[in-house]
Amino acid sequence: MKLVTQLLHNRKAMIGLSILLLVILVAIFAPLLTEYSPVKRVGRPHQPPSWEHWLGTTRIGHDVFSRLVHGARVSLAVGFGAGLLITVIGTVLGIIAGYKGGVVDEVINFFTNMVLVVPNLPLLLVLAAFIGQASPLVIAIILGFTSWAWGVRVTRSETLSIRQRDFVKSAEMLGEPGWRIMAFEIFPNLISIVGINFIGSVIFAVITEATLEFLGLGDPNTVSWGIMLYNAQNASALSVGAWWDLLSPCIALAVLGLGLALINFAIDEIANPRLRTGGMLNRWTRMVRLGEGKL
Amino acid sequence: MSDPVLSIRNLDIDYVGAETDFHAVKNVSFDIAPGEFFGLAGESGCGKSTIAFAVSRLHRPPALIRAGSRILVGGRDVLALDDEELRRFRWREVAMVFQSAMNSLNPVLTVEDQFYDVLRAHGKITREAARARAAELLKLVDIAPDRLSSYPHQCSGGMRQRIVIAICLALSPKLLIMDEPTTALDVVVQREILQRIDKLRKELGFSVLFITHDLGLMVQVSDRIGIMLEGELVEVNDARTIYRAPQHDYTRRLWASMPKLHGAQIRQEAGA
Amino acid sequence: MAFLLRRLAFYLAAFIAAATINFFLPRLMPGDPIEIMFASAGSELSLDNLNALKLTFGFIDAPLHEQYLSYLKSVFTGDLGRSIKYFPLPVTDLLGRALVWTVGLVGIATLISFTLGSFLGVMAAWRRATLFDSIVSLAAIFSSSVPAVVVSLIMLFVFGYTLGWFPNGYAADPMLDPGFDWTYISSVLHHGTLPMLTLVIVLTGGFAVTMRNNMINLLGEDYIVMGRAKGLTEDNVMLWYAARNALLPTVSSLAIAVGTILGGSLVTEVVFNYPGLGNTLYQAILARDYPVIQGQLLIMTAAMLISNFAVDLSYVLLDPRLKRA
């Protein structure tokens, strides 16, 4: 709860949360924001932005704005779904490895390090290529099961240091079972690491889903920002001058990524007070300028 | 009494916060005479280290030395120095042993490099001359010159501490500040280090500002002692008075909080 | 030495793991794995050629473990099969040709962004809470959160199509003959600028943030305060006391970043139609040319492992504590 209050007092977090909230609202109310269906031909091909079609039309006459607001749903769902999966796997394995130690730790640590040195995107490309046209759900699942390694690494090293603290030792003396200690003594102390891992994973999942779809591994019937990029690229949108077709999903992805990254930086600042450059330094600078003192 | 080496007048230091300030040092004044061993004692957080940092102006934001404070070293106003003057002043006039002296050496530079950079920063000197000087200084603290090519992690904790002291003597400073330099060491090494400093002080004639929370240790080595409480200097007296007839109530309480055994031991040594 | 040998053994295990994924993936898919692997060839492949390919990928008339060993043998003898789209071009030749461009592009971009990012991070940390720090931090957030595909498309749109300053594709003017003459080299540089800039924009922020955080965590260390107390110049303390020590954790984060860098370059090459691994792979994905798709995983993994080993080596060189006395 303290984390939430602190987030609400952080300027970066507030901007980031506002952006995220905006995208979420757009996704929820997508059908109310546009009269056009995202999957029907509603205009002539490649019409530039106008009153009728705010962001123009695609090569086959879809409304770009309608596809954009509906596509937000897929990006958010894949991002948060895969992000949650990645975080749960990473946190559980990390806490178990860090707390149990011994053989369990060695096995988990070995696999984690191995997954870390196999390049992620090339691996995903092979998986997706064999699956064929991967739906957003399938993409979310394979992202979840291949991208947890970083989370295990940071959670494990943090657990290793928390394990040595007094309250864990005393819980052990009182004979609390291992799972209770991990869930109720250790996990609450990892909350900011888990938060950073979660938001970072959401960013990663949003970016990677769009990338896989852009590279032609998605299901072309999906309405998502990645498929919009893929279709626009295939329609040579830039060389025929239909910039709106390509730039709309680009800017949407950039804005969502930026919003999430701002939240992540804010959590990092709150978790690590040394990174904070808050009001006190501004006040200090002002006082030095006024000649009230020096270093 | 000749002119003091260090003269602190009305020193006020704040840690600036987002809304209010924390007054770490409040209107502190004291002098240290040439060759004197001056102790500054108090509980942790009482502002004694803050004073030590201020003498070489090592503070970083949000610390703030308030206007009106004066710090004179050898008669020179330290707070009036510009950046380049301050750089030259540091180490030449005032050298310092830090709280965890064992971590005061840069882990990626050899011992020789850490002598060389300070000698170079304060005058023209060749590598060979610097090496000879460094070997000479190491000899003062009983370390063989072949240690010059070692990295800090290859030396023991006590040895690193002595290397730091040797580096402190490189420019023959007037004042050596020791900020709780022995807390991380065991009792035997602690004593050994302090005796060595005391011997060097008598040979080379520098003054010492010794900071610790261990009053018992302090009365054994200091000439005069200042007692600090929550940023204020509550009593300054010679070590004997601080020990036998403390004037301020807080000094008496500090003594009372010391373990009896320790007190008895000091009494014996003081008597002998 | 023992440390490096242990790392080498680990990298070998990781490479075998990647090969194992390649081996099992078609066999785990519903349907006939041989059918899946070579379906895109249609009926163009002669029976002899098909049998040769089957042998390479371990599709032999034997129990699974023998199939597996047979596949590993082909991988370790450098036989990754043949491209189906460009039959009978061996996968190693196809990818090897592309690899040259990718290594050049990624290598230089990494060098530039690591140097630039670390430098900016050092300066920002040293000038905490100044305007410079705020600008660097904000730019870094931006750079590390916007996908490579987005940055490359926007770069292409602005500098390629709209302003027309740079070409929109290829590694060099296709009309020129490759050679060590100025016309060709300048053409390569001209074509490489946009993809390079894209990668630099995407990568620099991450390095800057890492370096800034590492620096800030170090600034309270006693040896840095002692460096200042010694009267060394600010630059000397910043570089040789702070940055030099902050470099160690930054270099180890470089090892993990290699994966991101490779991923970023894949996409960038596709957008700029740059003839590196990414683009070759893209063509292979469109044609479902599985031998090539599998081969790139092995090549990328090898590239990743070699970079990791280089990072290990430089770590040993940079940190005296790892050197044996």
Side-chain angles (χ1 to χ4, degrees):
Chain A
M1 275 309 100
K2 217 175 109 215
L3 186 70
V4 177
T5 358
Q6 279 174 310
L7 275 178
L8 293 178
H9 283 99
N10 185 301
R11 199 169 43 175
K12 286 194 188 103
M14 284 317 290
I15 300 175
L17 284 170
S18 311
I19 293 177
L20 182 60
L21 196 68
L22 181 75
V23 180
I24 291 176
L25 288 177
V26 164
I28 293 175
F29 298 108
L32 304 179
L33 293 173
T34 171
E35 53 183 301
Y36 301 114
S37 154
V39 290
K40 289 212 177 90
R41 288 175 193 215
V42 291
R44 283 181 295 131
H46 273 163
Q47 290 297 298
S50 63
W51 270 116
E52 249 166 289
H53 300 286
W54 293 351
L55 293 175
T57 60
T58 69
R59 188 177 61 171
I60 49 174
H62 288 152
D63 181 70
V64 173
F65 180 75
S66 171
R67 287 178 77 80
L68 196 71
V69 292
H70 283 91
R73 297 175 160 193
V74 172
S75 276
L76 286 177
V78 171
F80 281 88
L84 193 66
L85 195 56
I86 294 171
T87 313
V88 169
I89 298 177
T91 307
V92 169
L93 287 181
I95 293 181
I96 291 177
Y99 181 72
K100 292 276 182 187
V103 185
V104 179
D105 180 30
E106 270 174 39
V107 171
I108 294 178
N109 201 24
F110 180 80
F111 275 102
T112 304
N113 286 334
M114 191 160 283
V115 174
L116 277 175
V117 293
V118 175
N120 200 285
L121 190 63
L123 175 65
L124 289 170
L125 290 175
V126 174
L127 290 174
F130 274 102
I131 289 167
Q133 296 180 338
S135 67
L137 180 67
V138 171
I139 291 180
I141 290 172
I142 60 175
L143 283 179
F145 283 105
T146 51
S147 315
W148 42 265
W150 187 83
V152 175
R153 176 177 276 200
V154 291
T155 315
R156 173 179 171 272
S157 68
E158 197 64 21
T159 306
L160 282 176
S161 74
I162 291 177
R163 192 178 67 172
Q164 304 302 328
R165 299 238 206 107
D166 288 342
F167 60 87
V168 176
K169 295 276 172 221
S170 57
E172 278 171 354
M173 298 275 223
L174 290 171
E176 280 206 49
W179 67 268
R180 269 197 75 92
I181 294 177
M182 285 189 268
F184 296 108
E185 307 290 342
I186 293 178
F187 177 72
N189 285 287
L190 290 172
I191 209 74
S192 57
I193 293 267
V194 173
I196 289 171
N197 186 12
F198 177 62
I199 302 288
S201 302
V202 173
I203 298 177
F204 170 81
V206 168
I207 290 180
T208 311
E209 183 233 0
T211 305
L212 289 177
E213 289 177 341
F214 171 75
L215 292 176
L217 290 161
D219 173 0
N221 294 320
T222 314
V223 178
S224 73
W225 293 347
I227 292 295
M228 288 176 77
L229 287 175
Y230 170 73
N231 287 334
Q233 176 81 354
N234 273 357
S236 308
L238 284 187
S239 47
V240 301
W243 49 267
W244 55 88
D245 196 2
L246 199 67
L247 291 192
S248 302
C250 272
I251 289 167
L253 277 165
V255 167
L256 179 58
L258 185 65
L260 290 166
L262 283 169
I263 299 175
N264 225 7
F265 272 72
I267 301 180
D268 205 10
E269 278 182 1
I270 289 164
N272 189 349
R274 277 194 268 193
L275 297 180
R276 220 175 300 166
T277 55
M280 67 183 187
L281 287 178
N282 294 333
R283 187 152 166 264
W284 180 89
T285 314
R286 202 163 53 240
M287 288 166 85
V288 171
R289 282 217 191 100
L290 289 172
E292 290 184 32
K294 51 169 64 179
L295 273 181
Chain B
M1 202 160 97
S2 54
D3 285 342
V5 166
L6 173 67
S7 175
I8 288 182
R9 287 288 170 274
N10 314 104
L11 184 61
D12 275 304
I13 304 177
D14 292 349
Y15 288 105
V16 174
E19 272 113 40
T20 53
D21 303 337
F22 173 71
H23 305 291
V25 175
K26 300 168 196 161
N27 197 25
V28 166
S29 303
F30 65 89
D31 288 341
I32 298 179
E36 186 178 28
F37 203 119
F38 187 91
L40 203 52
E43 288 162 340
S44 57
C46 69
K48 50 196 195 309
S49 293
T50 306
I51 294 178
F53 267 55
V55 175
S56 289
R57 289 180 59 189
L58 291 172
H59 281 296
R60 280 201 176 269
L64 192 71
I65 303 176
R66 286 288 182 171
S69 310
R70 272 163 66 81
I71 299 172
L72 302 178
V73 172
R76 211 144 66 115
D77 186 354
V78 179
L79 295 175
L81 300 176
D82 66 27
D83 287 352
E84 179 58 18
E85 286 166 346
L86 180 63
R87 188 188 73 69
R88 286 173 205 261
F89 158 84
R90 287 173 175 165
W91 221 253
R92 180 164 286 296
E93 311 277 320
V94 179
M96 194 162 169
V97 182
F98 292 91
Q99 210 156 56
S100 57
M102 289 191 300
N103 301 327
S104 302
L105 293 171
N106 186 341
V108 297
L109 295 182
T110 61
V111 173
E112 183 185 336
D113 285 336
Q114 305 193 44
F115 276 100
Y116 182 61
D117 64 11
V118 69
L119 290 167
R120 263 306 294 273
H122 293 277
K124 276 201 155 61
I125 190 164
T126 62
R127 267 246 166 222
E128 287 68 40
R131 188 178 302 135
R133 175 83 177 120
E136 200 177 290
L137 289 162
L138 282 184
K139 218 167 126 194
L140 287 177
V141 292
D142 285 333
I143 291 177
D146 58 5
R147 279 289 167 184
L148 279 176
S149 54
S150 301
Y151 285 96
H153 72 278
Q154 294 164 323
C155 306
S156 69
M159 197 184 281
R160 268 180 265 171
Q161 185 113 26
R162 281 181 283 152
I163 293 171
V164 170
I165 291 168
I167 296 177
C168 281
L169 303 176
L171 303 170
S172 317
K174 294 194 189 92
L175 176 65
L176 178 63
I177 298 178
M178 299 199 294
D179 182 10
E180 309 221 24
T182 54
T183 33
L185 299 173
D186 64 68
V187 185
V188 181
V189 185
Q190 265 185 30
R191 286 187 137 259
E192 200 254 352
I193 295 268
L194 284 174
Q195 280 163 356
R196 187 183 296 275
I197 294 277
D198 204 36
K199 188 162 149 280
L200 288 168
R201 170 179 72 116
K202 281 166 186 148
E203 283 167 23
L204 305 172
F206 54 85
S207 311
V208 175
L209 171 56
F210 179 45
I211 290 168
T212 182
H213 59 275
D214 186 347
L215 199 50
L217 184 68
M218 186 171 272
V219 292
Q220 298 175 62
V221 291
S222 303
D223 300 321
R224 283 194 310 140
I225 291 173
I227 306 286
M228 287 198 66
L229 169 63
E230 289 169 3
E232 285 176 79
L233 192 60
V234 293
E235 178 174 2
V236 182
N237 255 317
D238 57 285
R240 181 174 288 262
T241 315
I242 292 282
Y243 176 58
R244 302 219 161 179
Q247 301 298 302
H248 196 275
D249 183 47
Y250 178 67
T251 316
R252 281 192 286 272
R253 271 192 283 144
L254 264 186
W255 276 121
S257 70
M258 306 263 310
K260 273 278 180 291
L261 191 70
H262 198 41
Q265 187 194 346
I266 299 160
R267 199 171 295 267
Q268 257 181 2
E269 281 162 13
Chain C
M1 262 332 275
F3 165 75
L4 290 178
L5 282 178
R6 228 176 27 244
R7 297 300 292 165
L8 270 179
F10 173 74
Y11 292 147
L12 185 66
F15 186 77
I16 292 175
T20 309
I21 294 172
N22 269 349
F23 174 79
F24 280 106
L25 210 51
R27 288 169 175 80
L28 287 175
M29 289 296 137
D32 178 10
I34 304 171
E35 185 71 18
I36 294 173
M37 280 290 286
F38 311 120
S40 61
S43 54
E44 291 161 34
L45 233 51
S46 74
L47 202 60
D48 281 355
N49 288 333
L50 184 63
N51 283 337
L53 267 182
K54 275 161 74 178
L55 185 64
T56 304
F57 287 92
F59 293 115
I60 50 175
D61 216 1
L64 196 63
H65 68 273
E66 279 175 40
Q67 294 186 13
Y68 179 59
L69 288 178
S70 161
Y71 174 65
L72 281 189
K73 192 180 150 223
S74 346
V75 168
F76 278 95
T77 50
D79 178 9
L80 300 182
R82 288 166 194 278
S83 162
I84 289 169
K85 188 181 177 200
Y86 301 106
F87 199 86
L89 190 63
V91 170
T92 41
D93 287 10
L94 183 70
L95 292 179
R97 218 179 286 163
L99 191 65
V100 178
W101 293 109
T102 299
V103 167
L105 184 67
V106 167
I108 298 173
T110 308
L111 207 66
I112 294 176
S113 45
F114 185 77
T115 315
L116 182 67
S118 301
F119 178 75
L120 290 175
V122 166
M123 300 291 284
W126 201 251
R127 292 164 178 43
R128 267 304 279 299
T130 58
L131 184 66
F132 180 81
D133 183 24
S134 312
I135 293 174
V136 168
S137 301
L138 213 68
I141 294 177
F142 203 80
S143 134
S144 56
S145 63
V146 180
V149 54
V150 169
V151 177
S152 33
L153 285 170
I154 291 177
M155 293 289 279
L156 184 64
F157 172 69
V158 175
F159 296 105
Y161 283 99
T162 309
L163 296 173
W165 291 355
F166 294 98
N168 305 330
Y170 306 112
D173 190 339
M175 303 313 246
L176 292 172
D177 289 324
F180 269 107
D181 53 284
W182 177 239
T183 352
Y184 185 70
I185 292 173
S186 68
S187 173
V188 168
L189 292 178
H190 195 213
H191 283 74
T193 308
L194 277 189
M196 178 87 69
L197 269 180
T198 302
L199 284 176
V200 168
I201 290 175
V202 173
L203 300 173
T204 304
F207 290 131
V209 172
T210 313
M211 193 65 177
R212 178 175 177 272
N213 289 1
N214 291 337
M215 280 283 283
I216 287 174
N217 284 329
L218 277 184
L219 287 182
E221 293 286 330
D222 273 346
Y223 56 82
I224 291 177
V225 188
M226 175 147 161
R228 296 171 60 222
K230 277 161 92 177
L232 308 180
T233 58
E234 286 280 307
D235 289 347
N236 193 344
V237 180
M238 179 177 85
L239 293 177
W240 290 100
Y241 281 66
R244 177 66 178 70
N245 281 287
L247 194 61
L248 295 170
T250 311
V251 164
S252 71
S253 74
L254 180 62
I256 295 183
V258 175
T260 320
I261 297 171
L262 289 175
S265 84
L266 284 184
V267 183
T268 307
E269 286 174 8
V270 174
V271 171
F272 289 101
N273 198 9
Y274 201 79
L277 273 184
N279 207 14
T280 310
L281 175 61
Y282 179 60
Q283 304 302 333
I285 289 173
L286 293 183
R288 293 293 189 257
D289 191 347
Y290 286 110
V292 176
I293 299 176
Q294 288 207 336
Q296 69 73 42
L297 177 62
L298 293 179
I299 300 251
M300 285 291 196
T301 306
M304 179 100 167
L305 299 179
I306 291 168
S307 333
N308 268 268
F309 191 63
V311 167
D312 290 341
L313 274 179
S314 60
Y315 207 91
V316 172
L317 290 178
L318 283 174
D319 191 348
R321 280 160 294 193
L322 281 180
K323 262 182 242 163
R324 284 265 159 258

